[in-house]
Amino acid sequence: MKNYLLQLAEQKSFSENQMKEAVDFILGKEVSESEIAAFLMGLKSKGETVDEIVGIVRAMKANSLTFKKNFVNVLDNCGTGGDGSSSFNVSTTSAFVIAGAGVPVAKHGNRSISSKTGSADVLEYLGVNLNLSAESTEEILQEIGVAFLFAPHVHPNLKKVMTVRKQLKIPTIFNFIGPLTNPIELDYQLLGIYRRDLLNVFAEVLKQLGRKRATVINGAGFMDEASLQGENHFIILDNGMITNHSFYPEEAGLPQYKNSCIKGGDAKENAEILVNVLKGKKGAYRDTVLLNAGIGIFTAGKANTIKVGIQAAKEIIDSGAAYEKLTSLIEKSQAGQMEAI
C-alpha cells in the first residue's frame, strides 16, 4: 500500500491496470482504515482520470457477487445521488416503466446516503427481497425483465471502504461510481450525475466500459435526474461516438415544474408516490417519470427520439404494464433463494 500512497503523494496518475491492482489490494487484503482514507483523499487531491475510474470499476466488478448468465440489451438507470434535491425515487419508479417497454432492467441501488430514501429503502418497504442469490436474481431478470441489485449485497468486500467514507464526511470518487459498478454486464445505461463538469468524463468512462449506447444527464437545478424545471444537459454515447445535447421540458412536450414539486419523504411516502405514479395518477411526479423513462426507452433504442420515448412511457403506465412489473418483482423476489453469506 505504501507504494500506491507514495505515487499519489507525488501527484502521479495510475494506469487503468495499476488502479485495478491497487483497489484489488484494498478490497482483498488487510489494509487499515487510515491507509484507505489516505488513498481516497490522495486521489481526490490529484483529481481522478478516466483510466483510474475505469480501473476502480473493474476491480469492484471483479470482487462482486458472481453472475454467470450472459444477458443482452440490459439497461441500468441509476443516478449518483448527492444533488440535495430530496426528490422522490425517480429512477426507481422509471425502471418499471422502462421494463414495461420490453427493455431488461438490472436496477443497481443502495439505501439512503444523501437523500431521505434510497432505492433499496423504498423497494424493501414495498416487499422486495434485497438479498437474493445471484442465481435467483438472474432468474428474475430473465423471467420478468426487471431485477434489483442491492449494492452492499453484491459488493460484500466494500464494508471497510464504506466505513471510511462515512468517517471522512467528504465526497470522494466512491460517491460517483456506484451506478458504474453493476455486476451484470450492461449494453445500455442511463446515468444521472449532479456535477455538470463530469458529464464528459463519465461518458468516456462508459465508452471504455463497453456500453453500446448510454445517456449521461445533468438536470435543471443540477439534479442527478432529468428535470422539468428548465434546461437539461446530457451526453449521448452511441457505438463509440460521444455528442453533447441540451433540451427544455416544452421541447419534450411536457410542462415545467420546479424541482420542489417532486420532493419525497420517508420510505412509506415515497412508496406511495411510486405506486400512485405506476397506477396512473397525474401530476409532477408522473410527468418527471415520463421524462426519465422516456429517455431510458430512447437510450435502449426502443424509440427514435426522447419525445417518442415519453409517449411510449405514457402508454405503458396507462396500460398497467409498469405496475405489473412492480408486483411481479415483489412476488418473485419473495419466492427467491437468499444468498448465504
Side-chain angles (χ1 to χ4, degrees):
M1 197 64 200
K2 180 181 177 181
N3 290 334
Y4 301 131
L5 295 177
L6 285 173
Q7 186 167 337
L8 287 173
E10 294 172 1
Q11 296 285 294
K12 293 180 180 178
S13 294
F14 293 83
S15 68
E16 178 187 324
N17 285 336
Q18 286 175 325
M19 180 57 74
K20 184 179 181 303
E21 289 171 1
V23 177
D24 278 338
F25 188 81
I26 288 171
L27 297 178
K29 302 289 183 181
E30 288 299 321
V31 179
S32 70
E33 291 182 0
S34 61
E35 287 175 317
I36 295 173
F39 186 79
L40 294 179
M41 293 308 297
L43 271 178
K44 182 178 177 68
S45 175
K46 180 187 70 64
E48 301 88 349
T49 67
V50 169
D51 283 344
E52 287 172 340
I53 297 170
V54 172
I56 295 171
V57 172
R58 293 201 191 283
M60 287 184 62
K61 286 168 68 70
N63 286 275
S64 69
L65 206 62
T66 301
F67 291 84
K68 298 178 181 178
K69 290 186 179 179
N70 293 319
F71 293 96
V72 294
N73 299 328
V74 176
L75 174 141
D76 189 6
N77 67 318
C78 186
T80 59
D83 62 12
S85 67
S86 300
S87 60
F88 78 108
N89 301 97
V90 178
S91 63
T92 307
T93 312
S94 301
F96 297 105
V97 184
I98 297 168
V103 180
V105 178
K107 182 76 175 75
H108 188 249
N110 207 339
R111 295 196 185 279
S112 172
I113 294 176
S114 58
S115 60
K116 289 184 180 179
T117 308
S119 55
D121 299 308
V122 71
L123 291 176
E124 184 178 55
Y125 182 87
L126 288 166
V128 174
N129 184 346
L130 303 182
N131 299 307
L132 293 174
S133 67
E135 292 77 13
S136 287
T137 302
E138 288 174 328
E139 287 173 9
I140 288 170
L141 180 56
Q142 188 165 37
E143 186 174 340
I144 67 172
V146 60
F148 183 72
L149 294 94
F150 181 38
H153 177 63
V154 297
H155 300 291
N157 296 336
L158 265 183
K159 291 178 182 177
K160 188 176 287 188
V161 175
M162 292 296 293
T163 299
V164 171
R165 284 180 59 195
K166 290 177 181 178
Q167 291 170 347
L168 284 175
K169 297 179 181 178
I170 296 172
T172 69
I173 189 60
F174 279 89
N175 289 75
F176 297 98
I177 62 171
L180 305 174
T181 61
N182 194 319
I184 288 181
E185 291 301 323
L186 305 172
D187 285 321
Y188 306 122
Q189 186 145 13
L190 170 55
L191 169 63
I193 188 165
Y194 72 92
R195 278 183 52 183
R196 194 164 293 170
D197 61 309
L198 291 178
L199 282 172
N200 281 90
V201 171
F202 276 77
E204 289 288 349
V205 170
L206 289 172
K207 179 179 176 179
Q208 288 200 30
L209 291 173
R211 304 293 190 265
K212 288 196 304 189
R213 187 170 162 90
T215 303
V216 188
I217 191 156
N218 174 256
F222 298 95
M223 285 192 70
D224 69 330
E225 316 276 3
S227 163
L228 293 172
Q229 180 169 283
E231 188 177 22
N232 293 262
H233 293 257
F234 68 106
I235 290 177
I236 295 174
L237 166 67
D238 189 5
N239 291 314
M241 296 293 293
I242 291 173
T243 53
N244 289 264
H245 306 268
S246 65
F247 71 89
Y248 287 87
E250 52 266 32
E251 295 175 62
L254 291 168
Q256 281 202 22
Y257 295 95
K258 291 184 178 179
N259 289 339
S260 58
C261 294
I262 58 167
K263 283 187 179 294
D266 59 16
K268 180 178 182 293
E269 184 176 348
N270 281 13
E272 289 173 353
I273 293 169
L274 184 154
V275 169
N276 285 338
V277 168
L278 296 187
K279 285 188 171 182
K281 185 176 180 180
K282 291 182 168 56
Y285 296 122
R286 171 188 163 104
D287 287 343
T288 301
V289 168
L290 291 177
L291 176 59
N292 282 273
I295 295 171
I297 293 166
F298 163 75
T299 300
K302 293 286 187 178
N304 293 329
T305 66
I306 291 173
K307 199 167 184 179
V308 172
I310 290 168
Q311 183 57 42
K314 289 179 182 177
E315 294 169 4
I316 290 158
I317 290 176
D318 293 340
S319 72
Y323 183 66
E324 185 180 349
K325 291 293 182 184
L326 170 63
T327 57
S328 295
L329 177 60
I330 295 168
E331 178 186 345
K332 297 296 182 184
S333 70
Q334 288 176 351
Q337 179 184 352
M338 298 279 284
E339 181 74 20
I341 298 177

